[in-house]
Amino acid sequence: MKERVYISPSKYVQGRNAVQKIGQHLEGIGKTAVVIADETVWDIAGNDVVSYLKEANIRTENVVFNGEASTAEMDRIAGIAKEAEASIVIGVGGGKTLDTAKAVSDEVQAFTVIVPTTASTDAPTSALSVVYSDEGVFESYRFYNKNPDLVLLDSKIIAEAPPRFLASGIADALATYVEVRSVVNNKGNTMAGGQTTLAAQAIAKKCEEVLFDYALLAYESNERKVVTPALEHVIEANTLLSGLGFESGGLGAAHAIHNGFTALEGEIHHLTHGEKVAFGTLVQLTMEEHSQEEIEKYMALYMSLDLPITLEDIKLKDVSREDILKVAETATAEGETIHQAFSVTAEEVADAIVATDQYAKSFKGMLGIEEE
Ligand SMILES: [Zn+2]
């Protein structure tokens, strides 16, 4: 029997105005922090974080993230952190900024603080980063020997972010239970390296439950930029439940297919991680022989959240069979997580992509929604 492995961040704090207390959480930890945020996020939250740190007598080195979680960018910022002799690294922003902050912190062995300004992916809690090329093509997963020390989410900041980000996080989190279930059935390995614990399975199940109960309510709160219990539940599901669930529970086909889509050129690059994962999840469900009712349950929820369900929705209306095969081949490359879920060939994945698109079109047709 394989070992059961479960990992998690040391501390998770979520609530209205939670970021104002960042100084208290860092008391006695260190004197210098590198703060990483992209240009937009500096205005939204970065400058506030720096002023709260100042009140706590923590010096900061402020870095503008260039937008891509690439090796070059990780190395560049690690250089700045070394120069500053920082003992704290703080990432403020979305998935790619946070993944870069984790890499930088690992490089200089610092205390890692993750401050997500959206609930758009489940990246914040994990001890890994997804590394892309400078052009945004998936390259690899990079693993660290510890999870972030502190994950701090301010629900008010998240309520003020565009709802599309929350919907993307919901899609990323909806993949969690589907993927964990497949890894458990297949006795595959998790991202934490080992067999899925009962704890991770329970967390993944809870994640799914919360999303089917509250996703739309939370999305509507977010439309009006207000914090509600539904929004708090979904922020936790997208971030903590999905984060713990995918890492210690396992990734399967949905994320491998997402990675496959990053290999294509064109407008698909403007889609978020979660939007591509949404389609990948439907493809995984197609390959798993679920009933029409089960697949439609997901399609209906995605549609209510303005998430994509057809190839046209992910900007691949006229995609060639050749490109679909390219996606499928990337998704089934050696070492991809799809192999933890079930054994499948590239050709089978390609057929499932086409079938998913056709199911989704037919579902829209039943609802009276005409494709262009
Ligand atoms: Zn994801």
Side-chain angles (χ1 to χ4, degrees), residues 300-349:
L301 183 58
Y302 290 147
M303 283 179 67
S304 73
L305 301 166
D306 306 308
L307 285 163
I309 64 168
T310 63
L311 285 173
E312 181 175 0
D313 293 343
I314 58 170
K315 315 291 178 201
L316 293 176
K317 189 182 176 201
D318 299 313
V319 66
S320 63
R321 175 76 188 179
E322 199 186 341
D323 274 351
I324 290 178
L325 262 173
K326 190 174 167 190
V327 171
E329 273 156 16
T330 310
T332 53
E334 203 187 320
E336 253 303 353
T337 56
I338 201 167
H339 305 298
Q340 305 302 335
F342 34 69
S343 62
V344 71
T345 63
E347 202 182 355
E348 286 166 330
V349 173

Side-chain angles (χ1 to χ4, degrees), residues 121-122 172 251 255 273 277:
T121 73
D122 53 19
D172 200 21
L251 288 179
H255 273 77
H273 171 76
V277 168

